[in-house]
Amino acid sequence: MNAFAGTGKLIRLVLRRDRVLLPLWVALICAIPVVFVGAFTGAYPTAEARQHYYETSVHTRAFTVVYGVLNGSSLGELVSWRSGFVTFMVALFALLTVIRHTRTEEEAGRRELVGATALSRHADLAATLIVTCGAVLVLGVASALALIGQGLPAAGSLALGLGFTMAGCVFAAIGAVTAQLTTGAGGARAIGISVLGAALILRGVGDIAAQSGGGPAWVSWLTPLGWAEALRPYSGERWWILALAAGAVVALIVLGVALSERRDLGAGMFHARRGPAAAGPRLSSPLALAWRLHRGPLISRIAGLAVVGLVGGAMSASLGTLMDNSGAAAREALARLGGPGTLVDQFLAPMMTMLCLVSVGFAIQAALLLRDEERDGRAEPLLATPVRRLRWAGSHFVFILLGPALGLIAFGTAAGLAHGLNTGNVARELSRLLAAALVQLPVVWVFTGVALALFGLLPRRVAGTFAVAMVSLLFGWVGLELQLDQWVINLSVFEHVPKLPGGVMTATPLIVMTVVAAALVAVGLAGFTRRDIPTT
């Protein structure tokens, strides 16, 4: 049989299943750079104004970590710089798409049924990669054409669009590798997202080192996100980097195929540990089972946030000096993002926003586990017993809602202790940073409520909560930095959180968001009790 027999039919199947999700992602991401063009043109209409913005932002390390190196003050360079986070979104989209159509299908048993027909072993992987890479290619070309239509140079626009495509294709290939490593889609997603997070950190470390003129600037070349930045759209494009990325994609695909040939269908390269033949008394209730399913990811996330908080708190003592040397313009931009307070407070406040976004991602992942239990047929046997729907779903809701709270507490406590030891006032800094972390919880609960409402009403659209959170962050952070109208900024849920540490604590928006989250959870529970199970 041909090594890729049946690939064409599976391509049509993937396109049929993703007929809504793929166009939505492509349209959303394509629109973001165009929005940046309009925002920069409106807020900084002259070359002098853009030069002032460049001088404001180029030395701000927080911006460098999130967006990358700012190479110049032209409109194209500013748009390309602000699109650095868009590259991250494209990579995440490609990674999750490949895992969903490979490891998730295999875990659910559908891959085995399809494989019993006249299909080759690698047809599903080939079809998924072709569709995903084709989608990010369409995304890159459409972004380039949209920017050219806005009057930006064609070469730079094409380089920016192909940078999106390059990052998407590389992480699609990484998803093909991680899908071979574990027996579960959750483990594959965790490995892939960890690689993506490490890529973002390496790119940030390398960019800061390059700006400061010392340190390991070369580490940014270890990450595909750094390659997309190194294309230098609108500032002397370096097309040869595309060949480097193409070589990496080919090598990763070959590795994924080789790993697939060396494992059994349904198995992974990392073998799952066998459990006992019969459940013990500690698994005698839905709550105990939910704890067993959530405890691994929950403990690892809490530990990870504690480590990040410890490192961030320990570094905070040197941030005041660093920001003080950035000039008045940079401090002004930092104040817009971080609010009142000391320079360290103004740096820590945006960090809390990023912490909130990460916690939102963790909460949505926990909600996806609930969906996986239903889709993979494990919920139906439980609900055939005297266990009621509300009891089963509520047992998972406990950990989905309380998990982010424990993670925020861990981060705030670790950061407060480390920062307090630096300043010599542990009690003060611990209370301040713990409060700054906990005020993010109502926002996390709002997006968790969105995910749970979708689980109850439109379970196949739960993953769309990621897009809702990204758009909300975009309205707030970009709107503040570009000084857009307040009504645009207010569309972001993140904007209604008190800017702590350093700002004024306001309880009203936190109460409103908590009530909204509770209403969304109630809607999700009501919808779940009335719909069919399972919904595939």
Side-chain angles (χ1 to χ4, degrees):
M1 181 184 293
N2 189 310
F4 298 100
T7 300
K9 294 180 179 179
L10 286 182
I11 288 175
R12 292 194 293 272
L13 177 61
V14 173
L15 290 173
R16 174 69 176 79
R17 294 185 61 192
D18 278 359
R19 64 190 182 279
V20 175
L21 189 60
L22 275 180
L24 180 64
W25 268 103
V26 170
L28 172 65
I29 296 176
C30 284
I32 295 176
V34 178
V35 170
F36 288 151
V37 173
F40 275 115
T41 303
Y44 306 97
T46 65
E48 291 77 11
R50 289 192 287 272
Q51 180 64 29
H52 175 71
Y53 178 82
Y54 167 79
E55 294 171 354
T56 296
S57 304
V58 68
H59 297 297
T60 304
R61 271 31 177 193
F63 293 165
T64 301
V65 170
V66 177
Y67 306 122
V69 174
L70 179 56
N71 295 311
S73 61
S74 69
L75 178 60
E77 288 169 320
L78 293 176
V79 170
S80 174
W81 173 66
R82 285 310 308 268
S83 299
F85 195 71
V86 177
T87 307
F88 177 89
M89 294 173 62
V90 175
L92 179 64
F93 156 71
L95 174 73
L96 295 179
T97 299
V98 170
I99 293 174
R100 182 162 55 87
H101 284 290
T102 53
R103 174 49 66 181
T104 300
E105 291 297 291
E106 194 168 335
E107 183 183 14
R110 290 186 290 268
R111 169 68 180 87
E112 188 173 8
L113 293 175
V114 174
T117 64
L119 294 176
S120 70
R121 180 180 180 89
H122 306 302
D124 63 327
L125 183 60
T128 301
L129 287 171
I130 290 171
V131 171
T132 305
C133 292
V136 296
L137 178 60
V138 170
L139 187 155
V141 173
S143 298
L145 293 176
L147 292 172
I148 293 171
Q150 294 292 312
L152 294 181
S157 300
L158 184 60
L160 182 58
L162 290 180
F164 296 158
T165 300
M166 179 176 65
C169 288
V170 173
F171 274 94
I174 290 174
V177 174
T178 61
Q180 316 306 321
L181 300 180
T182 66
T183 57
R189 284 193 294 262
I191 295 173
I193 292 174
S194 297
V195 172
L196 180 57
L200 182 64
I201 293 172
L202 287 174
R203 198 265 299 152
V205 169
D207 289 346
I208 291 177
Q211 277 191 333
S212 62
W218 55 269
V219 299
S220 61
W221 286 96
L222 301 177
T223 161
L225 301 182
W227 302 344
E229 179 184 79
L231 273 174
R232 296 178 66 90
Y234 307 105
S235 54
E237 294 78 14
R238 296 188 283 193
W239 302 104
W240 60 268
I241 293 175
L242 295 174
L244 173 65
V249 170
V250 172
L252 288 167
I253 291 176
V254 170
L255 176 60
V257 171
L259 293 176
S260 176
E261 290 178 343
R262 285 166 172 76
R263 66 175 180 84
D264 293 331
L265 188 65
M269 299 303 295
F270 302 150
H271 299 290
R273 180 171 59 89
R274 290 184 176 274
R282 289 182 298 177
L283 288 176
S284 59
S285 68
L287 184 64
L289 177 60
W291 163 244
R292 177 65 181 84
L293 294 173
H294 286 276
R295 72 179 182 185
L298 180 60
I299 292 173
S300 62
R301 290 163 184 169
I302 292 174
L305 289 176
V307 171
V308 173
L310 190 65
V311 173
M315 293 174 57
S316 60
S318 61
L319 292 178
T321 302
L322 180 64
M323 294 298 118
D324 191 52
N325 293 333
S326 297
R331 293 196 296 272
E332 177 186 345
L334 199 60
R336 289 201 303 271
L337 287 174
T342 66
L343 289 174
V344 174
D345 290 343
Q346 291 170 358
F347 185 85
L348 289 174
M351 183 186 293
M352 294 297 174
T353 302
M354 294 305 297
L355 167 68
C356 180
L357 184 63
V358 170
S359 299
V360 167
F362 288 161
I364 298 173
Q365 284 283 0
L368 287 174
L369 175 61
L370 184 64
R371 168 61 179 157
D372 290 344
E373 289 294 295
E374 177 190 358
R375 184 195 59 222
D376 297 342
R378 293 186 289 269
E380 197 169 7
L382 285 176
L383 296 176
T385 69
V387 176
R388 295 182 178 274
R389 289 191 183 194
L390 286 179
R391 187 183 178 196
W392 176 77
S395 64
H396 285 271
F397 281 22
V398 168
F399 299 104
I400 295 172
L401 293 171
L402 293 184
L406 297 176
L408 292 172
I409 291 172
F411 179 92
T413 301
L417 288 173
H419 187 39
L421 291 173
N422 283 332
T423 60
N425 193 339
V426 174
R428 177 177 181 271
E429 299 303 336
L430 177 59
S431 61
R432 291 175 71 245
L433 294 185
L434 184 57
L438 285 177
V439 296
Q440 313 298 324
L441 187 57
V443 179
V444 179
W445 279 344
V446 167
F447 290 108
T448 305
V450 172
L452 296 178
L454 288 174
F455 169 75
L457 301 175
L458 300 169
R460 288 181 292 181
R461 302 289 180 257
V462 175
T465 315
F466 283 114
V468 176
M470 289 294 182
V471 171
S472 181
L473 180 69
L474 181 70
F475 279 122
W477 205 335
V478 174
L480 280 171
E481 188 181 340
L482 299 184
Q483 304 179 43
L484 301 181
D485 292 339
Q486 189 61 42
W487 70 269
V488 177
I489 298 172
N490 287 338
L491 294 175
S492 172
V493 180
F494 298 93
E495 175 57 20
H496 301 285
V497 181
K499 294 185 182 299
L500 301 180
V504 178
M505 174 65 185
T506 307
T508 302
L510 302 180
I511 295 173
V512 171
M513 285 187 285
T514 303
V515 172
V516 170
L520 289 169
V521 171
V523 168
L525 285 172
F528 178 64
T529 59
R530 288 171 172 79
R531 66 173 174 82
D532 292 335
I533 295 177
T535 300
T536 57

